[in-house]
Amino acid sequence: MRTEELRYMGNGTMSLLREKILDVASDLFQTRGINSTGVDTIVAVAGTTKMTLYKYFRSKEDLILEVLHKGHADFSTWLNQKLNKNTKKPSERLQKLFDFIEEWVTAPDFRGMAFLKASAEFPNEENPVHRLSAEHSKQFKQFLTELAVDAGAKDADSLALQLSILIEGAIQAEQMKRGSGAVKYAKKAAKILIENALEK
Amino acid sequence: MRTEELRYMGNGTMSLLREKILDVASDLFQTRGINSTGVDTIVAVAGTTKMTLYKYFRSKEDLILEVLHKGHADFSTWLNQKLNKNTKKPSERLQKLFDFIEEWVTAPDFRGMAFLKASAEFPNEENPVHRLSAEHSKQFKQFLTELAVDAGAKDADSLALQLSILIEGAIQAEQMKRGSGAVKYAKKAAKILIENALEK
DNA sequence: TTACGTATATACTAATCTGTATATAAAAAT
DNA sequence: ATTTTTATATACAGATTAGTATATACGTAA
């Protein structure tokens, strides 16, 4: 029973305090920046102490990595559910994707795309935070490639990369200036590119 | 003679040490991040002392703002010269633009787009560094709009915003992983969008 | 020489940073 | 009832941060 619980928590699940720290850190990292947010601030806002934080996370870098991981997992889950529930035809899913991205970006609690900001704060490609960010970006590209293949695109890799550029560019624009409406224009551009790639 | 020289240096020109500090800071900010780079490191690499740095810049924030300003001015000047020397027809300039962006990005001393990284490190829209970054992004968009108007695009604003999303997205991708070739794909996408917008 | 402007060297303040040590309170499990 | 676990409170170490104070050296211009 004891060992089971330990294993359980080691997996990253369970423990309300641990979840609270992750949520608070995620919010502070996004709104104030990662390097500008100290662990003292995190524990103060989370209503706990440093001892507890360092019981759940070996270091601040570990905490950053877990925040990134959770953010990416949550986003992926949300997006997949949206796609699976609302669209059946593979040819429509690429288009619909941009509707959901827009919904995500225009939500009042949108704080930006975590791995985009993180990679900018840790520019060195050897840095673990940068590497994880690049990995997330790569996974998102692969996800788009699958959608493009299923839709029957001529050059799925090419289309997927173009769409990822559009999406990350639009989100970057929205991080720079909230309410920019960039996703709306990215959607228009995507429509043209998708139609172009689906012509036989 | 004295007052003239003071005014001259106040304008930001002259003084080799000042230039050296700006160059070193620019490089360190891009390669290590802004918040991760202390003024002690900057003066050590530049081969001077803090007293000198604070004689030319009131604060680190002032230095950051000047680095951003110089980076944007240098890029704008370079791009304008390239466009003016190599392309005469307004209808071809939008296409050519992507060739120059690719040339800029694939150069061995490319370190990223300063205002993209800066806005990520200072996410708060009230922050002076973020505001200047947003201003540079806005100016770049306006520059694209002028090119789109001259080219005779149907909806110049829309096309300009789409192209800015493509460019900033591709540069973001290249910052994430050097040699990604993102600009090449952005160029293909741009060609389609431009042709689409130039149809009568 | 004298005076002045530029830059260096060095030491300092005061705050902040990550991470740890220690002692204790509270609660849950045996 | 007693052990074990979980979390708190607090203080600390050691490094680093931005920015300043002071004294000095160097070159140039009067």
Side-chain angles (χ1 to χ4, degrees):
Chain A
M1 173 67 171
R2 187 92 298 276
T3 58
E4 274 181 63
E5 193 181 341
L6 273 174
R7 178 142 42 85
Y8 195 46
M9 309 215 316
N11 280 343
T13 334
M14 198 57 161
S15 177
L16 290 176
L17 262 175
R18 198 189 140 93
E19 297 288 298
K20 179 74 179 174
I21 291 171
L22 276 174
D23 283 349
V24 166
S26 175
D27 195 61
L28 290 176
F29 287 164
Q30 294 275 9
T31 55
R32 305 186 188 185
I34 298 174
N35 282 316
S36 301
T37 302
V39 289
D40 293 285
T41 308
I42 295 170
V43 296
V45 174
T48 180
T49 63
K50 269 199 285 193
M51 286 311 299
T52 304
L53 186 148
Y54 281 102
K55 195 161 275 178
Y56 288 118
F57 308 95
R58 287 187 199 169
S59 62
K60 187 187 176 183
E61 185 175 89
D62 251 49
L63 173 59
I64 298 169
L65 293 172
E66 290 235 36
V67 165
L68 282 181
H69 182 268
K70 186 172 187 296
H72 187 64
D74 288 350
F75 173 71
S76 300
T77 302
W78 179 85
L79 191 58
N80 263 303
Q81 280 186 348
K82 277 282 178 180
L83 280 172
N84 291 332
K85 281 191 182 175
N86 294 283
T87 65
K88 305 290 177 190
K89 293 187 193 167
S91 59
E92 289 176 358
R93 300 184 97 206
L94 277 175
Q95 300 270 15
K96 273 282 181 189
L97 173 77
F98 278 79
D99 291 331
F100 302 135
I101 297 284
E102 186 172 31
E103 182 183 333
W104 179 62
V105 162
T106 54
D109 62 336
F110 172 76
R111 297 273 179 277
M113 186 157 257
F115 68 76
L116 287 187
K117 289 181 181 174
S119 68
E121 282 209 64
F122 301 88
N124 189 336
E125 296 202 10
E126 305 299 310
N127 181 282
V129 177
H130 188 103
R131 291 170 81 111
L132 184 60
S133 300
E135 174 64 24
H136 287 165
S137 180
K138 189 180 170 187
Q139 283 176 16
F140 185 62
K141 247 168 259 159
Q142 287 172 342
F143 171 72
L144 291 180
T145 303
E146 290 168 26
L147 291 183
V149 167
D150 293 346
K154 275 186 292 193
D155 187 346
D157 282 320
S158 181
L159 179 61
L161 188 43
Q162 289 175 348
L163 296 183
S164 80
I165 290 170
L166 273 180
I167 292 171
E168 292 179 17
I171 287 172
Q172 169 71 48
E174 194 69 18
Q175 285 174 1
M176 188 91 80
K177 187 160 172 42
R178 287 238 54 184
S180 69
V183 182
K184 204 179 74 181
Y185 291 88
K187 189 156 65 174
K188 285 188 194 172
K191 195 180 175 195
I192 296 170
L193 295 178
I194 293 169
E195 285 171 357
N196 200 281
L198 293 190
E199 290 171 0
K200 72 256 122 259
Chain B
M1 174 66 173
R2 185 93 294 280
T3 56
E4 275 180 64
E5 193 180 340
L6 274 174
R7 177 142 42 85
Y8 194 46
M9 308 214 317
N11 280 345
T13 333
M14 196 56 162
S15 177
L16 290 175
L17 263 174
R18 197 187 140 94
E19 296 288 297
K20 180 75 179 172
I21 291 171
L22 276 174
D23 284 349
V24 167
S26 175
D27 195 61
L28 291 175
F29 287 164
Q30 293 275 11
T31 55
R32 307 186 187 183
I34 299 174
N35 282 316
S36 301
T37 302
V39 289
D40 292 286
T41 307
I42 295 170
V43 296
V45 175
T48 182
T49 64
K50 271 200 282 193
M51 285 312 299
T52 305
L53 187 149
Y54 281 101
K55 195 160 276 177
Y56 288 118
F57 308 95
R58 287 186 199 169
S59 62
K60 187 187 177 184
E61 186 174 88
D62 252 49
L63 174 59
I64 298 169
L65 293 172
E66 290 234 36
V67 165
L68 284 181
H69 182 267
K70 185 172 186 299
H72 187 64
D74 288 350
F75 173 71
S76 300
T77 302
W78 179 85
L79 192 57
N80 263 303
Q81 280 187 349
K82 278 282 178 182
L83 280 172
N84 291 332
K85 281 189 183 175
N86 293 283
T87 64
K88 305 290 178 189
K89 295 188 193 166
S91 58
E92 289 177 358
R93 301 185 95 205
L94 277 175
Q95 301 268 16
K96 273 282 179 187
L97 172 76
F98 279 78
D99 291 331
F100 301 136
I101 297 282
E102 187 173 30
E103 182 183 332
W104 180 63
V105 162
T106 55
D109 63 335
F110 172 75
R111 297 273 180 276
M113 186 157 258
F115 68 76
L116 287 187
K117 290 181 180 173
S119 68
E121 284 209 61
F122 301 88
N124 188 337
E125 296 204 8
E126 305 299 311
N127 181 284
V129 177
H130 189 103
R131 291 170 81 110
L132 184 60
S133 299
E135 173 63 23
H136 286 165
S137 180
K138 189 179 171 189
Q139 283 176 17
F140 185 61
K141 247 169 258 158
Q142 287 173 342
F143 172 71
L144 292 180
T145 304
E146 289 169 27
L147 290 183
V149 168
D150 293 346
K154 274 187 292 193
D155 188 346
D157 282 320
S158 181
L159 178 62
L161 187 43
Q162 289 176 346
L163 296 182
S164 80
I165 291 171
L166 273 180
I167 292 171
E168 291 179 17
I171 288 172
Q172 169 72 46
E174 194 70 19
Q175 285 174 359
M176 188 91 80
K177 187 158 172 42
R178 287 239 52 185
S180 70
V183 181
K184 203 179 73 182
Y185 291 87
K187 190 156 67 175
K188 285 187 195 173
K191 194 180 177 193
I192 298 171
L193 295 178
I194 293 169
E195 284 170 357
N196 200 281
L198 294 189
E199 289 170 1
K200 70 254 127 273

